[in-house]
């Protein structure tokens, strides 16, 4: 296993380990590349001409907690850009009227603008990129590494304390995923695929807690952190020499080439992981800048114009696609609108309920239970069931 005295992930050194950048779901650009729709408000400029208002009313309270300020100061030391220090920085962390934390624009952005960015050296790897494997790392595997490499490693804990101190706790910003539920509550979801995923995760948690001697509760919560906060990227590896050399040989007509393949790698991205999700109305995306250089960056890029004071959101999941099943399983919440559910149900499969008639209750019955004030995990059970039932495509 590669030693991590400080816990810093040097993604720029992957090429020395027969790896090359190939990140997904990140969009990629070079620093040499050219650089929710809101109804425009019109004001009166001097001389009587209408002037476009590039802001919306403030709907959040700035997070001025010491932990958040420490994180920002830490990242600025690494030359991060666009982080909330003043109004011109571009972004700030804040709380909405319901107490949910998110990222907000402190100035307007155009489509394609880089909103904020952190250097790749500030990313925390949850697997060793030098170890080539055909097996996909689970979030539970990532949680074991998170605990052993960072949270329970005194030296790494000190290095990364500015980030680790901002992570959710069981008491704040925590939405339990189904692996925290009882088996009976999981069964009430009825949908075979999510039931299987939840039960498999609970089983793996128990097995790895015993194998690693990690406390089950700590491993379970670390798994939630990894599932809900980390981003999945892919690196391309080959079985000998550098990929760049292989590409050069191919361009020169050399038929001999190495076998090239991709493997997944989960990373934690400080500050960027505070951005909230929107399935249908996100206004930005995760972005990788200059992956071929030693000073690569992880950033947030606007996918539409963003007004000052507007919340910045992305779409979670691989390639920015996540169904309600994935949102509940990995993040612990359900959104009212999610266009991907209909596409998912239309595709169908052995682990799906093929039609609304395949459920044990009707949509109306589930809605009545929700309206009656059901709380706790059963409320999320009902939200999931009603959301899926509303998403079936019309009968042809």
């Amino acid at each position: 296993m590669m030693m991590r005295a400080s816990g810093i992930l040097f993604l720029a050194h992957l090429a020395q380990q027969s790896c090359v950048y190939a990140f997904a779901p990140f969009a990629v650009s070079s620093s040499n590349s050219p650089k929710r729709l809101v109804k425009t408000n019109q004001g009166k400029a001097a001389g009587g001409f209408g002037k476009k208002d590039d802001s919306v009313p403030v709907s959040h309270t700035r997070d001025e907690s010491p932990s958040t300020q420490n994180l920002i100061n830490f990242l600025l030391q690494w030359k991060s850009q666009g982080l909330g220090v003043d109004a011109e920085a571009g972004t700030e962390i804040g709380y909405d009227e319901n107490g949910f934390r998110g990222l907000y624009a402190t100035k307007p952005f155009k489509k394609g603008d880089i909103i904020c960015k952190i250097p790749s050296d500030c990313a925390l790897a949850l697997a060793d990129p030098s170890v080539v494997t055909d097996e996909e790392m689970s979030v539970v595997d990532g949680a074991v590494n998170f605990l052993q490499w960072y949270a329970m490693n005194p030296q790494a804990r000190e290095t990364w304390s500015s980030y680790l101190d901002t992570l959710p706790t069981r008491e704040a910003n925590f939405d339990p995923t189904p692996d925290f539920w009882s088996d009976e509550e999981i069964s009430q979801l009825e949908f075979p695929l999510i039931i299987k995923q939840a039960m498999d995760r609970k089983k793996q948690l128990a097995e790895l807690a015993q194998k690693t001697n990690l406390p089950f509760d700590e491993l379970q919560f670390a798994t939630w952190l990894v599932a809900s906060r980390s981003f999945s990227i892919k690196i391309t590896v080959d079985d000998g020499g550098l990929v760049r050399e292989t590409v050069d040989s191919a361009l020169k007509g050399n038929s001999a080439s190495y076998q090239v393949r991709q493997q997944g790698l989960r990373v934690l991205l400080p500050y960027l992981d505070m951005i909230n999700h929107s399935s249908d109305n996100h206004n930005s995306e995760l972005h990788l800048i200059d992956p071929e250089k030693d000073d690569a960056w992880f950033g947030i890029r606007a996918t539409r114009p963003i007004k000052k004071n507007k919340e910045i959101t992305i779409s979670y999941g691989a390639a920015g696609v996540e169904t309600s099943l994935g949102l509940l399983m990995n993040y612990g919440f359900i959104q009212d609108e999610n266009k991907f559910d209909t596409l998912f149900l239309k595709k169908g499969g052995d682990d799906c309920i093929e039609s609304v008639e395949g459920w044990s209750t009707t949509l109306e019955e589930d809605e009545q239970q929700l309206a009656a004030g059901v709380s706790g995990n059963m409320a999320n059970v009902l939200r999931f069931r009603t959301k899926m039932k509303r998403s079936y495509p019309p009968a042809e």
Side-chain angles (χ1 to χ4, degrees), residues 284-296:
S284 59
E285 64 182 358
L286 288 161
H287 191 69
L288 182 68
I289 306 166
D290 293 334
E292 74 286 353
K293 297 181 179 179
D294 286 349
D295 54 347

Side-chain angles (χ1 to χ4, degrees), residues 235-306:
I235 55 173
T236 298
V237 296
D238 65 77
D239 59 4
L242 293 176
V243 173
R244 183 176 300 169
E245 293 173 353
T246 304
V247 174
D248 289 343
S249 296
L251 291 175
K252 294 174 183 177
N254 189 343
S255 59
S257 61
Y258 299 113
Q259 180 180 357
V260 177
R261 56 184 173 179
Q262 289 187 332
Q263 70 179 46
L265 176 69
R266 283 188 174 272
V267 294
L268 292 166
L269 302 178
Y271 194 85
L272 305 188
D273 63 3
M274 294 190 188
I275 299 176
N276 287 325
H277 166 84
S278 176
S279 296
D280 295 354
N281 293 301
H282 54 280
N283 51 26
S284 59
E285 64 182 358
L286 288 161
H287 191 69
L288 182 68
I289 306 166
D290 293 334
E292 74 286 353
K293 297 181 179 179
D294 286 349
D295 54 347
W297 299 80
F298 288 102
I300 301 298
R301 183 174 68 174
T303 57
R304 62 176 71 182
I306 302 175

Side-chain angles (χ1 to χ4, degrees), residues 293-347:
K293 297 181 179 179
D294 286 349
D295 54 347
W297 299 80
F298 288 102
I300 301 298
R301 183 174 68 174
T303 57
R304 62 176 71 182
I306 302 175
K307 292 189 174 186
K308 179 181 177 180
N309 300 324
K310 185 74 173 176
E311 183 175 9
I312 298 166
T313 57
I314 60 173
S315 183
Y316 293 169
V321 176
E322 194 68 279
T323 64
S324 291
L325 185 151
L327 290 175
L328 180 58
M329 188 65 215
N330 294 313
Y331 304 92
F333 66 84
I334 302 292
Q335 280 206 323
D336 292 337
E337 302 297 330
N338 191 334
K339 60 188 177 184
F340 301 117
D341 290 341
T342 298
L343 298 174
F344 171 69
L345 291 171
K346 186 175 183 179
K347 183 178 180 181

Side-chain angles (χ1 to χ4, degrees), residues 136-365:
E136 184 175 354
M137 185 189 76
S138 72
V139 291
V140 185
D141 294 323
V144 171
N145 292 340
F146 170 76
L147 290 174
Q148 294 179 338
W149 295 353
Y150 305 108
M152 294 182 174
N153 180 318
Q155 186 175 357
R157 171 79 206 187
E158 181 179 359
T159 298
W160 291 102
S161 61
S162 296
Y163 170 59
L164 298 177
D165 290 346
T166 66
L167 290 174
T169 65
R170 286 178 179 268
E171 292 72 37
N173 304 307
F174 172 51
D175 297 307
T177 46
D179 49 289
F180 286 83
W181 302 0
S182 69
D183 291 355
E184 173 61 24
E185 289 170 330
I186 292 174
S187 70
Q188 293 297 311
L189 291 167
E190 295 195 20
F191 206 84
L193 182 57
I194 193 170
I195 290 175
K196 180 179 185 302
Q197 290 178 348
M199 297 305 293
D200 285 350
R201 185 176 292 177
K202 290 181 74 171
K203 179 181 179 182
Q204 189 183 17
L205 277 166
E207 291 174 348
L208 279 180
Q210 183 176 24
K211 179 180 179 180
T212 60
N213 291 320
L214 290 169
F216 178 85
D217 288 348
E218 292 191 35
L219 179 58
Q220 186 181 39
F221 187 72
T223 297
W224 179 84
L225 284 173
V226 169
S228 63
R229 310 286 296 190
S230 69
F231 299 98
S232 181
I233 65 176
K234 289 186 180 297
I235 55 173
T236 298
V237 296
D238 65 77
D239 59 4
L242 293 176
V243 173
R244 183 176 300 169
E245 293 173 353
T246 304
V247 174
D248 289 343
S249 296
L251 291 175
K252 294 174 183 177
N254 189 343
S255 59
S257 61
Y258 299 113
Q259 180 180 357
V260 177
R261 56 184 173 179
Q262 289 187 332
Q263 70 179 46
L265 176 69
R266 283 188 174 272
V267 294
L268 292 166
L269 302 178
Y271 194 85
L272 305 188
D273 63 3
M274 294 190 188
I275 299 176
N276 287 325
H277 166 84
S278 176
S279 296
D280 295 354
N281 293 301
H282 54 280
N283 51 26
S284 59
E285 64 182 358
L286 288 161
H287 191 69
L288 182 68
I289 306 166
D290 293 334
E292 74 286 353
K293 297 181 179 179
D294 286 349
D295 54 347
W297 299 80
F298 288 102
I300 301 298
R301 183 174 68 174
T303 57
R304 62 176 71 182
I306 302 175
K307 292 189 174 186
K308 179 181 177 180
N309 300 324
K310 185 74 173 176
E311 183 175 9
I312 298 166
T313 57
I314 60 173
S315 183
Y316 293 169
V321 176
E322 194 68 279
T323 64
S324 291
L325 185 151
L327 290 175
L328 180 58
M329 188 65 215
N330 294 313
Y331 304 92
F333 66 84
I334 302 292
Q335 280 206 323
D336 292 337
E337 302 297 330
N338 191 334
K339 60 188 177 184
F340 301 117
D341 290 341
T342 298
L343 298 174
F344 171 69
L345 291 171
K346 186 175 183 179
K347 183 178 180 181
D350 294 338
D351 290 329
C352 290
I353 297 178
E354 296 295 333
S355 69
V356 71
E357 289 78 19
W359 298 78
S360 66
T361 58
T362 66
L363 172 60
E364 293 72 19
E365 288 171 337

Side-chain angles (χ1 to χ4, degrees), residues 68-126:
T68 295
Q69 299 310 306
N70 287 340
L71 173 63
I72 293 171
N73 291 336
F74 171 78
L75 293 173
L76 289 176
Q77 291 175 7
W78 285 85
K79 309 303 181 184
S80 300
Q81 298 178 19
L83 280 58
V85 177
D86 53 51
E88 291 304 311
T91 67
E92 67 181 13
I93 302 299
Y95 291 91
D96 68 13
E97 57 189 11
N98 296 313
F100 294 111
R101 186 170 60 178
L103 189 68
Y104 293 84
T106 59
K107 65 182 182 181
F109 292 96
K110 298 177 182 178
K111 179 179 178 179
D113 284 351
I114 299 298
I115 299 170
C116 59
K117 61 181 182 178
I118 65 170
S120 58
D121 282 345
C122 288
L124 287 74
L126 297 175

